[in-house]
Amino acid sequence: MFAVRRMLVLLAGLLGCASTPRAPPLMPGGLDAAAIQGTWHVVATTFPMWTDGRRRDPTFTYSNLRRDGDEVRFDDTVGFVKDGEADTIRGVDTQHASVATHFTWRGRGWLVFFTSDWDVVALDPAGRWAALTFTSTIATPAGLDIIARTPTLDDATFNDAVARLQTDPALRPFLSGLVR
C-alpha cells in the first residue's frame, strides 16, 4: 500500500498537479470566467512551444462554460499551425473555488493524465487583451502569455499592457523573456 501511494505522489509530480494559487494584485476584483470565453490570439509569450518557430499562430478558445454548484468549467482548445497543417490540443479548465483568477487545465484523450495550472493575471478593462501565467510541468517551464481578441495589438496597446504587468514584481522576471 505504501508503494502504491508513493507511486501516485511521484506520478502526480511528474504529470503536474495543482499549485497554490496566488491572487494577482492586478486583478483585485477576481474574475468572472465568462469574461474570457471566446477565441484569443497569443500576441507575446515566453512559452518555448510558441517561440521555437515550429508552431505558428497559436490561439486559445474557451467555450462551453458550465457551472455545477461552486465549480466552473469550460472547454479549452489550443489551436496552432505546424508544418502548414492546423492542429489542436484539447482540454478542460476548472476555475479554483476561492481564487477566481486561477484555473487547472486537464487534457482530453491521451492527454487526460496531464494537468497544468494557469492564472489570469491581468485583463484589459475593454477586454482587448489579457495576460496569463502558467506553472511549470515536467514538459514545460513556467511562463507568461499576452493574448488578444485580434491576431495583433498595436504598439501603444501592447506597450501599455507590458507597463501594467511590470507593476507586479512577480511578473517582472517573465517579461525579460517575452517574445512578441
Side-chain angles (χ1 to χ4, degrees), residues 1-53:
M1 183 60 141
F2 177 73
V4 170
R5 190 174 341 155
R6 204 164 111 194
M7 181 63 99
L8 289 174
V9 170
L10 176 63
L11 188 60
L14 290 174
L15 299 179
C17 54
S19 65
T20 303
R22 166 182 94 91
L26 299 177
M27 297 287 296
L31 177 73
D32 178 356
I36 61 170
Q37 281 193 115
T39 298
W40 296 85
H41 302 266
V42 178
V43 297
T45 187
T46 64
F47 190 44
M49 187 165 155
W50 308 139
T51 61
D52 71 6

Side-chain angles (χ1 to χ4, degrees), residues 67-168:
R67 298 178 194 273
D68 183 14
D70 288 340
E71 195 164 75
V72 175
R73 290 185 179 179
F74 51 82
D75 297 334
D76 181 324
T77 303
V78 177
F80 55 93
V81 175
K82 181 179 177 188
D83 300 327
E85 300 285 327
D87 203 350
T88 58
I89 299 170
R90 297 186 190 282
V92 175
D93 294 300
T94 303
Q95 190 173 32
H96 193 275
S98 61
V99 180
T101 55
H102 184 83
F103 297 83
T104 298
W105 175 88
R106 177 170 296 281
R108 288 190 176 211
W110 66 272
L111 293 174
V112 72
F113 298 107
F114 293 91
T115 64
S116 176
D117 289 293
W118 59 279
D119 294 271
V120 178
V121 295
L123 181 63
D124 173 47
R128 296 172 297 175
W129 62 268
L132 315 175
T133 57
F134 45 90
T135 59
S136 64
T137 68
I138 190 170
T140 62
L144 178 129
D145 292 321
I146 297 177
I147 58 177
R149 293 292 187 179
T150 56
T152 60
L153 284 177
D154 62 79
D155 289 340
T157 303
F158 178 78
N159 291 336
D160 286 345
V162 170
R164 186 167 171 206
L165 297 173
Q166 286 175 333
T167 65
D168 183 345

